[in-house]
Each structure stands twice: as C-alpha cells, then as structure tokens.
C-alpha cells in the first residue's frame, strides 16, 4: 500500500469514527437478515423514511423464516409508502429461499447471495461486506459520486455503473478485511453527509486536499442530462394510490372502490393491470382485488 493510499484511508476512517450516524443496521449486533432488509429498503429511499419501517419489520419478522411464513401481501402491506413496492415482494421471495434452501440463515458469500431472488450485484456485495466482513467493493450512488470527484475529477458519475468505476472502487479498498468493511460504509456516509450531489461541503471533507475535482477548480458536469424523477400525475402516483387503498383494507376491495382513486380511466386501469402483472395485486372473483394472499406453508 502506498503512503498516499494509507493517508487517504486514515483520514476517511477517522472522519467516519467521529461523524457516522447511529443506524441500527450498522451496529455490531445487527443480524445478517437485518442488514439485508436495510439494503433493500434503502434503494432509492432516504434513511429517515426507512428507519421506522425497518424497525417495524425486524420486530415483526426477526428472521427470514418469520417473513416466509406470511403471505406476500403482508410484506406489501407492511412496506407502507416506501415506494417501489416490488422490493417487498423480492424480500419475501428472498426470505422464502433462505428458509427453504439455507436453513433459515442468510448466506455469506457474494455468489450465494446473488442466487437469492431479487438480490443483485450491489445488494449481494453490501450484505457480504457489512454482515459478514468480506473484502468486496460496495458501490452505491454515494460511493460513485465521491470516487468520481476524488479520483476522476468530475462532478458526477456516469449515468450507470461502468467497469472503470468498479476498478477504481476495488483499487481503493484497504487490504485488511476489517478496514475494507468500514471503508465501504465510510465512503457512503461521506457521500450522504458531505460530498452531496447538489451542495457538497468541500471544506468539511477529510480528503479535500486529495480531491481531483477540487484541484481542477470544481468543473461543472458536462455529461448526459441528469433528470429528476417526476411524481405528480405519473403512473407511479396512480399505482401508489391503488396500493394504499388495498393496504388499508382488511379484505378484498371492490373494483368500484378502486375506480374512485383516479379519474383517468385508461391510466388507472393500465396501472391496475400493471400491479396485477407485477404480482402486487390479485384479482378476486370478477370484481374485487386484494394484496397477494398465497404464502409458504407453515
């Protein structure tokens, strides 16, 4: 390890030791299941919204087998308004696979984790690193932004993860497993709290003096347009409203009740059909709908 890399690691790890947020899935007593649930919930959802839902889930379903014993609709209902509710179904499917194929224990290698339903490259790496201490690069949006600025000297990372970014992340990993684990989460935290997308606080950054972007005069981003996600009037909003009605009901909901959710009939029915196709909603008879009910046999 070069002296420069050693100094970089030391400054970031010392900063994290002082500034890290106290989040339950980062504590030493967090279970691998708790880490997996947190990683799925945190995808595209802020910590402040995830925290109460994560706590409710782990209280209700402290193990994968506990969730697998419930119907998938229970997971969708408990997902609340975190958004992208297919993640709830993926967690339920992963819990079922863990219960059936791994004796109820979350597997500890990236390869095994990737075989779980709905677990992709990022989530597998995160769980392997944070729950099992594996030396593997964990590359989320915050990490990509920090390393784009620190190493590449650009304001924002490319629209999608590149091979070059993976190589940079791997090259920056400390050699020891324990330091690599903390480094991964420390860089994430740095991106979340200091090296933010819109208003980076460079003067508070522990590696400002080593940052290529700062050294270049903080040049503006010149890549493809970065578009925010619209909400009002979109299919996402309609789907969310339909699911909210179903979550708040103790039983099947008449189609007529769902028609009251949104005036645009074409859009509403398209969204309802999409929810059925995604497995988030089940038709009941000819004129009612419910959250998915079929579950794993107890």
């Amino acid at each position: 390890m070069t002296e420069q890399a050693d100094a970089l690691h030391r400054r970031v790890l010392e900063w994290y030791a002082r500034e890290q947020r106290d989040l339950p899935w980062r504590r030493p007593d967090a279970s691998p299941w708790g880490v997996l649930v947190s990683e799925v919930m945190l995808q595209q959802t802020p910590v402040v919204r995830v925290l109460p839902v994560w706590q409710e889930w782990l209280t209700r379903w402290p193990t994968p087998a506990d969730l697998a014993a419930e119907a998938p609709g229970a997971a969708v209902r408990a997902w609340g308004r975190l958004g992208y509710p297919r993640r709830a179904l993926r967690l339920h499917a992963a819990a079922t696979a863990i219960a059936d194929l791994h004796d109820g224990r979350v597997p500890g290698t990236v390869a095994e984790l990737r075989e779980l339903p709905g677990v992709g490259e990022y989530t597998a790496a995160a769980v392997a690193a944070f729950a099992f201490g594996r030396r593997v690069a964990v590359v989320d949006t915050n990490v990509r932004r920090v390393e784009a600025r620190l190493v590449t000297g650009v304001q924002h990372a490319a629209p999608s993860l590149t091979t070059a970014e993976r190589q940079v992340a791997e090259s920056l990993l400390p050699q020891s497993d324990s330091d690599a684990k903390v480094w991964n989460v420390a860089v994430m935290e740095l991106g979340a709290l200091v090296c933010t997308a819109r208003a980076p606080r460079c003067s508070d950054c522990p590696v400002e003096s080593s940052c290529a972007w700062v050294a270049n005069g903080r040049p503006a981003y010149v890549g493809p347009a970065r578009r925010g996600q619209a909400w009002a009037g979109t299919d996402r909003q309609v789907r969310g409203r339909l699911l909210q009605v179903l979550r708040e009901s103790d039983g099947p909901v008449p189609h007529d009740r769902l028609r009251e959710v949104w005036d645009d009939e074409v859009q509403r029915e398209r969204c309802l059909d999409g929810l059925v196709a995604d497995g988030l909603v089940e038709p009941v008879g000819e004129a009612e709908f419910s959250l998915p009910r079929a579950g794993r046999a107890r």
Side-chain angles (χ1 to χ4, degrees), residues 48-249:
V48 67
R49 291 177 57 197
V50 166
L51 186 56
V53 181
W54 182 91
Q55 291 169 329
E56 291 170 4
W57 270 56
L58 269 291
T59 298
R60 181 173 178 179
W61 300 307
T63 71
D66 294 320
L67 177 57
E70 297 263 16
V76 176
R77 192 185 306 278
W79 194 254
R81 305 189 70 176
L82 286 183
Y84 303 97
R86 277 178 286 184
R87 291 181 292 168
L89 291 182
R90 291 171 188 156
L91 262 177
H92 186 276
T96 301
I98 293 167
D100 290 345
L101 304 176
H102 297 279
D103 296 323
R105 293 186 291 272
V106 176
T109 68
V110 170
E112 290 174 314
L113 287 160
R114 283 298 302 271
E115 292 178 355
L116 296 176
V119 173
E121 176 184 355
Y122 165 77
T123 303
V127 175
F130 302 145
F132 297 99
R134 308 283 185 186
R135 185 180 178 275
V136 57
V138 182
V139 189
D140 75 343
T141 301
N142 286 316
V143 171
R144 293 180 65 216
R145 182 171 59 255
V146 170
E147 295 181 352
R149 292 171 178 172
L150 180 64
V151 177
T152 313
V154 296
Q155 184 180 19
H156 298 297
S160 58
L161 181 64
T162 66
T163 299
E165 286 179 301
R166 290 190 185 92
Q167 292 172 343
V168 168
E170 290 167 358
S171 72
L172 289 175
L173 275 180
Q175 290 301 309
S176 77
D177 290 350
S178 58
D179 282 351
K181 173 183 177 180
V182 181
W183 167 264
N184 278 316
V185 71
V187 178
M188 284 185 185
E189 194 78 333
L190 187 62
L193 300 182
V194 174
C195 192
T196 58
R198 295 183 180 179
R201 297 185 289 108
C202 296
S203 61
D204 295 329
C205 179
V207 290
E208 179 188 14
S209 61
S210 302
C211 180
W213 184 55
V214 171
N216 290 341
R218 306 209 306 179
Y221 177 71
V222 294
R226 302 172 71 249
R227 298 177 181 175
Q229 293 183 329
W231 171 253
T234 63
D235 283 4
R236 281 188 60 212
Q237 184 182 22
V238 180
R239 285 164 60 99
R241 289 192 177 183
L242 291 167
L243 278 177
Q244 183 178 355
V245 172
L246 292 163
R247 283 197 306 266
E248 293 174 351
S249 174

Side-chain angles (χ1 to χ4, degrees), residues 29-52:
D29 61 349
S31 68
W33 170 239
V35 173
L36 174 57
V37 172
S38 75
E39 289 299 336
V40 174
M41 287 185 171
L42 287 165
Q43 295 167 14
Q44 299 178 291
T45 307
V47 167
V48 67
R49 291 177 57 197
V50 166
L51 186 56

